[in-house]
Amino acid sequence: MKIKLVSTKAINIVLIPCEVEEDSSDKEMEFSFDFNPHLPENETNIKTFIIAFLGEMKSYKEAFECKVVFVAQFQTDEVIEREFLKNKFALINAPAIGYPYFRAFFSNLLLNAGYEPYFLPTINFVNLKEKKEKELAEQE
């Protein structure tokens, strides 16, 4: 099966100032990250899927919160089924391909908004695979 990345885009951005707590002076920032593979709803003969990334950052130094939902869309040359979302490509390779685009977007968003361009950490998707498989199994 041939698979290619066809597009990336931010679909939800929240960037707001926030109050800095008194006891947080030793922290510079917090970052959380998640991703989920999805197939289009109510379609047959599906040949596309997306990886949705969610990044949330709170900067204590610059007093802002930022949440971004970003998707990477992939196209296949064969019809795929729901089971495809549990395979190695959907849980390791596709997120690893899309994450650098998300990472660059997040950093550039902050820079263009007038904040320091925080560089998000690298992610080992191999280590996240088992956790994602369990989450997907619970959703069924």
Side-chain angles (χ1 to χ4, degrees):
M1 176 184 304
K2 293 181 183 174
I3 303 171
K4 67 179 179 178
L5 177 66
V6 291
S7 71
T8 60
K9 69 174 77 169
I11 59 172
N12 191 347
I13 302 167
V14 176
L15 179 58
I16 57 173
C18 68
E19 304 240 348
V20 178
E21 300 144 12
E22 298 266 338
D23 63 341
S24 63
S25 60
D26 60 332
K27 296 185 219 175
E28 186 172 312
M29 70 105 164
E30 293 176 0
F31 177 71
S32 63
F33 168 80
D34 196 11
F35 75 95
N36 288 296
H38 294 281
L39 292 179
E41 297 292 322
N42 304 320
E43 287 187 28
T44 56
N45 298 324
I46 298 169
K47 291 186 175 184
T48 63
F49 68 97
I50 66 166
I51 303 296
F53 298 97
L54 170 64
E56 298 184 30
M57 176 183 285
K58 184 171 186 176
S59 171
Y60 296 96
K61 182 179 175 184
E62 295 190 76
F64 71 83
E65 290 181 31
C66 184
K67 297 178 185 177
V68 174
V69 178
F70 187 89
V71 296
Q73 182 178 8
F74 293 83
Q75 186 174 40
T76 66
D77 64 343
E78 297 176 22
V79 173
I80 54 177
E81 302 292 331
R82 188 145 306 278
E83 282 299 309
F84 176 83
L85 299 181
K86 298 177 185 175
N87 79 20
K88 180 181 173 185
F89 191 88
L91 296 177
I92 298 173
N93 301 75
I97 292 167
Y99 182 71
Y101 294 93
F102 168 72
R103 189 176 183 215
F105 175 82
F106 204 103
S107 182
N108 284 324
L109 169 69
L110 295 176
L111 177 66
N112 289 330
Y115 298 103
E116 287 185 29
Y118 290 93
F119 295 101
L120 302 184
T122 57
I123 304 288
N124 185 333
F125 290 97
V126 172
N127 290 345
L128 294 178
K129 182 178 181 274
E130 285 184 30
K131 178 185 171 208
K132 269 297 148 198
E133 287 173 330
K134 288 177 188 175
E135 287 177 15
L136 291 171
E138 290 172 4
Q139 291 174 4
E140 292 179 348

